[in-house]
Amino acid sequence: MKSRKIFRRRFFAGLALLAILLISGSSSVRAAAPVKNVLLLFSGRFYAPLSVEVEGAVRAAFQKASGVEVELFAETLDMARFDPDRHGPILADYLREKFSDRKLDLIICSLPQAARFLMKFRGELFPDTPVVYCLADEGELADLPRMPNIVGVPIRLPWKETLDLALEVHPDTRQVVVVAGTDAMARNFLRQTMAAFQPYETRFTFTYLTDRTLPQLLEDVANLPPRTVIIYCDMVRDASGRIYIGAEVAGLIAKAANAPVYAIGYTVFGRGIVGGHIVDYVAHANRAAEIGLRILAGEKPEAIPVEEVPSPPRFDARQLERWKIAESRLPAGSMVLYKEPSFWERYRLALIALAVSLLEGLLILRLVLAGARRRRSERRLAESRLEVDRLRGELAHVSRVMTVGGMTTAIAHELNQPLGAIMNNAQAGMHVLAKGEPRLDEIREILQDVAGDARRAADVIQRLRTLLRKTRQEMGPVEINAIIRELAAVVRTDALLRSVEIELDLAAGLPPVRGDQVQLQQVMLNIILNGIDAMGARGEGGRIRIRTERDRDGVLVSVRDEGPGIPADTLPHIFEAFYTTKAAGMGMGLAICRTIVEAHGGRIWAVNNPEGGATFQFSLPAGP
């Protein structure tokens, strides 16, 4: 068992070691993959804008490519300062010696001078190395013999198209001024423009400013006649032999000139010229790099199809504004660059933030105002409710006073009984005292009767005072049975005078309800007196049965009479204000009852009894 474990450990350790060796071996293989050597050959100086643009584009294309590692070299003819025909052999010897121990896999050259140099010395320098050239007009290489392993990005410099563009934008043109330096490139461009512009010489006056120093040239272009356009070729060297950067010269000329300047150079665009059919150096360099990568991958240069890179018309928006040229005058398909951003485009984020802040501020202000209005409304509503409660209390008090006023006879009868008994007892006591030797036990009995009758009269008055007092609403626990007993005692005499009997059927153990005692007394008083009035109107008397019971949410009170009942068309309206069936009624009693009951969280209703009469019921929720 132990030997098996040792075997497994050694087996897996061996597998791990083998995997490490395989991984390191593949890494070594990858590391050992040959690096492709590529030479960039420029016609102008390294720091010239065209050279910088081309090298940057080619280097970026190679860095993005996968599966190939390139070491990039760069050399220049510096033709602006050195004559390539005179110094060509010297440069060829230099390159031969420099790359004698290093095989070049690809050469990319820009501008026709570099291409001509390679084709002239290729046999003794790099006879088998593939060559890709760009930015070299095919017409400049037409006199050279065709060689294998050479392919180029085709280009035809759009001098004619640029002149047509300028004439279309400025249809009143009478004179065309062509500016060129004395260097080889400028002379080459000058020959091309002269050939391209020859058909126009019968329609326009052409002036070629070539043999001038830069200061002279700036003075000339500043004093051109009206209706003139300028075509800028290039100027790296002026008549004095001084060397410049062609793109910088274009900017100086455009700034000094009193006429619009057009050109085809990618590096001069944006420095003050109006526009032209601009040759995109970066696009040409990218196309050359793409062809070079295919060659490095094993394709034959002659088998690779190449397409011409378009040179669309481009305009500088700042110069359009300077020369008052509307965009509507530009031909279809024109590209307008360097547009000044609009106020919205420049401050869009700030304006959006400001708008959001303003909107938030407005919303907050609206909420604050709405809150203030709501608080005022709530305050007014609270004040209105207080006023309504006050008026309702006043009305309820008036109703109670009127109700009690209607019971004057019964109240007088209720008070006359104890008062009459007090009078009789007083006379009896005086009679006993007149006998000479009064008996004290008889006098004591008479006085006890007087005190009892006085208490009965005081109770009647106290009940009336409680019913008639004018107080603010005081909510608290109320025993509904106690209220009913009190009111039964108050209305008993009035009921008896009208042959009506009050019968109580009060359930024991009812929970207290939360309410105002005086208001609930008024509800019971109005309902009981309505029943007495209904039966008293017939003159036959009857019985009112008051019943309490516990219902689902609290207490249910029923007042059942034996009167004529309520007409069916009247029943839905009896709790409405100012609705009455009594000749002398105001129609407020039952409306007040409904208001009080609903304010206490309950409800009130009435139904006709099948055997006659009506039953008024109201329920109140139980409360602490």
Side-chain angles (χ1 to χ4, degrees):
M1 191 71 176
K2 186 175 181 181
S3 61
R4 288 182 181 177
K5 289 183 178 179
I6 294 173
F7 174 76
R8 283 199 204 100
R9 289 174 186 168
R10 290 179 178 175
F11 176 75
F12 287 117
L15 286 178
L17 180 59
L18 179 61
I20 293 172
L21 291 174
L22 289 174
I23 293 172
S24 61
S26 61
S27 301
S28 301
V29 169
R30 284 197 299 269
V35 176
K36 302 295 183 179
N37 298 314
V38 177
L39 172 64
L40 271 177
L41 185 60
F42 297 108
S43 299
R45 288 166 289 179
F46 285 126
Y47 54 84
L50 186 148
S51 303
V52 173
E53 295 285 354
V54 170
E55 181 181 8
V58 171
R59 188 178 298 277
F62 285 153
Q63 288 176 348
K64 290 180 182 178
S66 60
V68 61
E69 186 175 351
V70 173
E71 185 171 357
L72 201 60
F73 302 90
E75 298 292 341
T76 177
L77 300 180
D78 199 0
M79 62 182 182
R81 292 181 289 186
F82 301 96
D83 184 0
D85 294 332
R86 179 182 174 187
H87 295 91
I90 301 173
L91 180 60
D93 291 339
Y94 162 74
L95 293 177
R96 185 187 307 109
E97 180 64 26
K98 183 173 183 177
F99 293 100
S100 60
D101 59 347
R102 191 183 300 268
K103 179 180 179 298
L104 291 179
D105 299 288
L106 178 68
I107 300 175
I108 297 178
C109 57
S110 70
L111 297 180
Q113 288 77 10
R116 293 181 69 88
F117 171 83
L118 273 179
M119 291 181 185
K120 183 176 181 180
F121 296 99
R122 185 180 180 220
E124 58 185 275
L125 288 178
F126 315 110
D128 300 323
T129 304
V131 176
V132 180
Y133 61 85
C134 64
L135 298 173
D137 194 308
E138 294 290 338
E140 293 297 312
L141 306 177
D143 60 325
L144 298 177
R146 292 293 175 182
M147 297 182 180
N149 278 352
I150 295 182
V151 65
V153 180
I155 182 174
R156 185 179 56 81
L157 297 180
W159 295 113
K160 177 182 180 301
E161 291 80 358
T162 297
L163 178 59
D164 289 337
L165 184 68
L167 296 177
E168 182 177 354
V169 176
H170 307 278
D172 58 346
T173 299
R174 292 292 178 266
Q175 177 170 311
V176 179
V177 173
V178 181
V179 176
T182 61
D183 54 279
M185 178 63 74
R187 293 297 183 183
N188 182 35
F189 287 163
L190 182 61
R191 287 193 298 270
Q192 293 180 16
T193 56
M194 293 178 72
F197 297 164
Q198 186 177 3
Y200 297 83
E201 291 180 353
T202 57
R203 298 162 48 198
F204 306 97
T205 300
F206 281 84
T207 301
Y208 293 90
L209 302 178
T210 58
D211 296 323
R212 283 169 172 75
T213 63
L214 181 58
Q216 292 172 342
L217 183 60
L218 296 178
E219 184 177 355
D220 289 342
V221 298
N223 297 283
L224 295 174
R227 301 182 180 181
T228 299
V229 296
I230 300 173
I231 303 296
Y232 176 76
C233 292
D234 195 16
M235 177 180 277
V236 179
R237 186 175 64 215
D238 67 359
S240 67
R242 186 171 179 180
I243 302 300
Y244 298 96
I245 300 294
E248 295 177 356
V249 173
L252 295 174
I253 291 175
K255 183 177 180 181
N258 64 348
V261 180
Y262 287 80
I264 67 170
Y266 181 80
T267 54
V268 302
F269 183 72
R271 294 176 178 265
I273 70 167
V274 175
H277 280 267
I278 304 301
V279 177
D280 192 339
Y281 301 156
V282 173
H284 278 263
N286 283 331
R287 187 67 56 84
E290 292 171 5
I291 296 172
L293 286 170
R294 294 177 67 174
I295 293 172
L296 293 176
E299 295 188 46
K300 294 292 184 181
E302 297 85 351
I304 299 175
V306 291
E307 297 178 356
E308 186 173 339
V309 178
S311 301
R314 301 188 188 192
F315 290 89
D316 188 326
R318 298 166 297 184
Q319 303 310 313
L320 294 178
E321 182 178 357
R322 174 188 174 187
W323 298 104
K324 304 297 186 291
I325 301 172
E327 287 192 29
S328 58
R329 290 164 54 185
L330 306 182
S334 297
M335 301 170 58
V336 180
L337 305 178
Y338 301 109
K339 284 187 176 182
E340 287 291 331
S342 63
F343 184 80
W344 165 251
E345 292 171 337
R346 183 175 297 175
Y347 302 107
R348 178 173 53 188
L349 294 179
L351 290 174
I352 292 174
L354 178 61
V356 171
S357 299
L358 288 176
L359 182 60
E360 289 179 347
L362 290 175
L363 290 175
I364 292 172
L365 179 61
R366 184 173 180 180
L367 290 174
V368 170
L369 294 177
R373 286 196 298 269
R374 188 187 69 230
R375 287 191 293 273
R376 286 198 299 271
S377 299
E378 290 175 349
R379 185 169 60 251
R380 291 171 183 170
L381 181 60
E383 293 172 354
S384 299
R385 286 175 177 171
L386 291 175
E387 182 65 15
V388 169
D389 290 342
R390 187 187 68 80
L391 294 175
R392 186 165 56 199
E394 293 281 354
L395 183 60
H397 179 256
V398 171
S399 177
R400 290 197 302 275
V401 172
M402 292 179 64
T403 301
V404 173
M407 297 170 57
T408 305
T409 302
I411 294 172
H413 182 77
E414 185 81 9
L415 288 174
N416 280 335
Q417 286 184 346
L419 292 177
I422 290 172
M423 179 64 72
N424 292 333
N425 284 320
Q427 291 176 352
M430 293 176 63
H431 181 72
V432 171
L433 291 174
K435 290 182 179 180
E437 292 185 3
R439 294 174 56 185
L440 294 180
D441 55 346
E442 191 174 356
I443 295 298
R444 185 181 297 110
E445 184 178 350
I446 291 172
L447 292 177
Q448 287 176 348
D449 290 340
V450 169
D453 291 331
R455 280 195 297 273
R456 284 178 54 202
D459 288 343
V460 172
I461 294 171
Q462 181 61 36
R463 286 196 295 269
L464 291 175
R465 286 184 62 189
T466 301
L467 190 62
L468 293 174
R469 68 182 177 182
K470 183 178 180 181
T471 61
R472 296 178 61 183
Q473 186 182 54
E474 296 180 1
M475 302 295 287
V478 176
E479 296 289 340
I480 197 71
N481 285 345
I483 289 179
I484 293 173
R485 291 190 186 96
E486 263 189 61
L487 286 174
V490 170
V491 301
R492 183 186 58 187
T493 302
D494 187 48
L496 290 175
L497 291 175
R498 290 192 271 183
S499 302
V500 176
E501 180 183 352
I502 305 294
E503 178 181 322
L504 302 182
D505 182 10
L506 307 180
L510 292 179
V513 298
R514 181 173 177 78
D516 182 88
Q517 181 173 346
V518 175
Q519 290 184 358
L520 293 179
Q521 284 177 340
Q522 183 168 359
V523 172
M524 287 300 306
L525 180 62
N526 284 342
I527 295 175
I528 293 172
L529 290 180
N530 276 348
I532 293 174
D533 289 342
M535 291 184 291
R538 295 188 311 174
E540 299 177 0
R543 177 184 302 168
I544 289 180
R545 185 181 183 188
I546 303 175
R547 175 184 175 87
T548 61
E549 57 186 297
R550 189 185 186 111
D551 74 347
R552 183 178 59 185
D553 298 322
V555 175
L556 175 66
V557 180
S558 304
V559 180
R560 182 187 184 95
D561 64 51
E562 297 176 352
I566 304 170
D569 59 339
T570 301
L571 190 59
H573 308 289
I574 59 174
F575 293 104
E576 296 177 3
F578 304 110
Y579 186 88
T580 182
T581 57
K582 299 178 182 178
M586 292 178 58
M588 292 301 297
L590 290 179
I592 291 173
C593 290
R594 185 186 68 179
T595 301
I596 292 174
V597 170
E598 290 179 352
H600 282 70
R603 66 187 189 95
I604 187 170
W605 66 96
V607 294
N608 285 317
N609 304 323
E611 66 277 10
T615 298
F616 283 79
Q617 294 179 296
F618 65 90
S619 62
L620 296 172

